[in-house]
Amino acid sequence: MNGAQSIWIKDPLAIFADGAERGIVVRQGRIVELVPAGVAATTADAVFDASGHVVLPGLINTHHHFYQTLTRALPAAMDRELFPWLQALYPVWARLTPEALDLAVTVAMAELLLSGCTTTTDHHYVFPPGLEDAVDIEVAAARRLGLRVLLTRGSMNLSQRDGGLPPDSVVQDEDAILADSERVVARHHQRGEDALVQVALAPCSPFSVTSSLMRSTAALAERLDVRLHTHLAETEDENLFCEEKYGCRPLDYLEQCGWLGQRTWLAHGIFFNPREMQRLAKAKTSISHCACSNQILASGCCPVCEMEEAGVGIGLGVDGSSSNDESNLMQEVRAAFLLQRARYGVSKVSHRDALRWATKGSAACVGRPELGEIAAGKAADLALFKLDELRFSGAGDPLAALVLCGAHRADRVMVGGNWVVEGGAIPGLDVADLIRRHSAAAKRMQAG
Ligand code: ZN
């Protein structure tokens, strides 16, 4: 199909949209028509028979660290909470090379695509000598695979020497960070609703970045008009760190650094109190909820319903592959559904809520209201799931079945009107060869 032609994705088994019972029409990368029950599409050059598919807006991943696919299920870091977990991993991550990063990024993006993800962020904050082109490597991989991305130029400049958590081997100085941030935005950041590659700025956390870098990064993001991202309110240890070093809570610190605003989305947000939730809502700062990661590191449970009631936007993130060792966003939807339902009860959290967080909610986190929803004028980013596996056999409600029966693999994925997954595979990607090369790189890095 060429982009100028319209295609009717016809008669889906179910669709996560109202008034589209007979499907949708896609043209030039956009959804141009929703087809309600009892009528036919007004125009369609071609038809895709979706009668065996459940159709979702493409899922959007709002937090990840792709390079961590090289340190999954690593015995030295297992069964630890965040700070000791990081301290076990920093020296291993310091050995990251361009070749290994390229493989790690390809693995993470492929996993995401196959799980129904159409837009992902990545938070890359490890820049050992020789890896200055990390963001460029990620952009090249995204273009190869056809995934829409918001890559964040991360940073760390507060090492143990200055009272931070990471060792000297993984930090950079502030001038080098700001210069490279400006370079990657100028080189790669696309503007407008059809953007496939965007860049944001992302100092890592209060315990690995100086307040000077936090402030200068906020000023740079303002000047370049790009988004801001960091980890915040993830653990009690972080609360203690902020109180001891800065004499305030993490959100106060964030505000002092000029970060509390619409441009910012935060990973985790577990430890905000009700007054802080009001401040986040007023500032339109949104939260990336990472249910699997929070459970694996036993960090706590993000108060998603209280935040939504306060007016805070919620998206979902799989987080890095050392704290949630897989990169499957559809499984993250189920994890968030289960965790939040256990916390708030059956009347407060449904499968539809979890799907909404991963689509429209995540779109708001990444500042892309044209994504994450099946509606006329929105981007043609779609995930189509078949219910032909054992796990779905006998299911009553096809949409609920995706979450309740544990869907984990999309049959087809469309980004900007182009099919990037077909028949549960990424055209042109030799997965067996990728696993072989990525596993070898991981082994080398872990061995040191
Ligand atoms: Zn993270």
Side-chain angles (χ1 to χ4, degrees), residues 80-94:
R80 291 169 180 242
E81 291 182 0
L82 182 70
F83 279 18
W85 171 87
L86 280 167
Q87 284 162 326
L89 284 162
Y90 285 137
V92 185
W93 294 339

Side-chain angles (χ1 to χ4, degrees), residues 117-201:
C117 173
T118 52
T119 297
T120 185
T121 62
D122 186 50
H123 187 181
H124 187 88
Y125 57 83
V126 176
F127 290 83
L131 196 57
E132 290 77 13
D133 292 344
V135 175
D136 311 82
I137 289 167
E138 297 195 58
V139 171
R143 290 192 191 285
R144 277 200 305 274
L145 292 167
L147 190 58
R148 208 185 285 276
V149 289
L150 172 57
L151 302 169
T152 75
R153 203 298 181 187
S155 53
M156 297 196 292
N157 75 333
L158 183 69
S159 70
Q160 285 160 358
R161 197 177 43 196
D162 303 310
L165 198 68
D168 293 344
S169 57
V170 289
V171 300
Q172 291 181 294
D173 75 63
E174 182 169 336
D175 289 344
I177 290 164
L178 293 172
D180 193 54
S181 298
E182 190 151 6
R183 178 189 73 82
V184 294
V185 170
R187 177 147 189 223
H188 299 298
H189 183 70
Q190 300 171 345
R191 301 188 189 267
E193 293 193 344
D194 296 324
L196 282 171
V197 176
Q198 293 196 317
V199 179
L201 305 183

